[in-house]
Amino acid sequence: MTGAATARLFVAVDPPLGVREQLLAWAREALRGLGARGSGPVSVRVLDPELLHLTLCFLGDRPVDEIAAIAGALGGCAGPVGELSIGAPLWLPPRRPRSLAVEVHDDPHGGLEALRGALVGALAEVCGSGEDEHRRRFRAHVTLARLRAGSGRGASEQGSLGERALPATPALSFKPEEIVLYRSWLAPAGASYEALAVQPV
């Protein structure tokens, strides 16, 4: 007897294409020559533009039959979010990095945090998946590149990435227009994302 089918789900905000392309151009330049120093090569894969997003709530693997209810919950979460700005570059997680990201700063009125709070509360009511998100510290960011599997020579080499100076990120900002429920499809070549529902904010 097999278990119920599941889907790996998250809810996110997508920066405009122009912002994504400028961030990726910055990432390619920032990562040029990475691995030329140190004890072993470090291979980093810069992501495609369609993979860039700002995750508001990660639901993990949820039963497929919950998708309709989760999508329906997005409608009650819409609220005004002002201009978000791109901040400093980040190696994540800091101690043993697996990805390069950039911070995203909230608008002066905390619109993004308020939107996330409404979303987490609504999802907790629908499927109980938001309880951990309430306790988790929210660090708004957009991931631009990931270390390839087997890159470097272990934890010490990965840890040294966090000590490497990176150029300043471009002065960019954007105003979210919608929140998107995504399904993540995992594959050896990397994840791909399928938009299941879209809600204007």
Side-chain angles (χ1 to χ4, degrees):
M1 185 175 182
T2 59
T6 62
R8 189 175 177 84
L9 304 175
F10 65 93
V11 181
V13 164
D14 294 335
L17 179 59
V19 170
R20 284 179 270 157
E21 289 177 337
Q22 290 182 73
L23 286 174
L24 291 175
W26 171 87
R28 293 186 191 96
E29 185 62 30
L31 295 171
R32 193 183 302 279
L34 187 67
R37 298 172 293 164
S39 59
V42 178
S43 178
V44 183
R45 176 175 63 92
V46 176
L47 302 180
D48 295 329
E50 61 269 20
L51 299 180
L52 269 57
H53 56 266
L54 191 169
T55 299
L56 296 174
C57 186
F58 178 70
L59 286 77
D61 292 320
R62 304 300 308 174
V64 169
D65 59 12
E66 288 184 357
I67 290 176
I70 292 170
L74 300 186
C77 303
V81 180
E83 202 80 8
L84 308 180
S85 58
I86 299 300
L90 302 168
W91 287 109
L92 296 176
R95 295 188 127 190
R96 193 174 179 182
R98 295 188 298 272
S99 62
L100 173 64
V102 291
E103 293 178 320
V104 177
H105 298 307
D106 204 345
D107 70 43
H109 303 290
L112 185 67
E113 185 67 49
L115 175 62
R116 178 180 178 271
L119 178 65
V120 170
L123 293 176
E125 289 186 13
V126 169
C127 60
S129 66
E131 295 173 4
D132 289 340
E133 291 287 341
H134 271 301
R135 294 190 292 269
R136 187 175 298 144
R137 177 174 173 264
F138 178 51
R139 187 174 197 176
H141 66 276
V142 175
T143 298
L144 307 179
R146 298 189 186 280
L147 266 68
R148 296 183 189 275
S151 175
R153 292 189 178 179
S156 61
E157 180 69 14
Q158 279 183 264
S160 69
L161 286 174
E163 301 169 4
R164 302 190 189 205
L166 291 168
T169 52
L172 298 170
S173 63
F174 66 95
K175 185 175 181 180
E177 296 182 354
E178 55 193 24
I179 50 177
V180 185
L181 173 63
Y182 278 108
R183 181 173 185 173
S184 175
W185 296 91
L186 302 181
S192 60
Y193 307 129
E194 175 188 2
L196 302 179
V198 177
Q199 173 63 46
V201 296

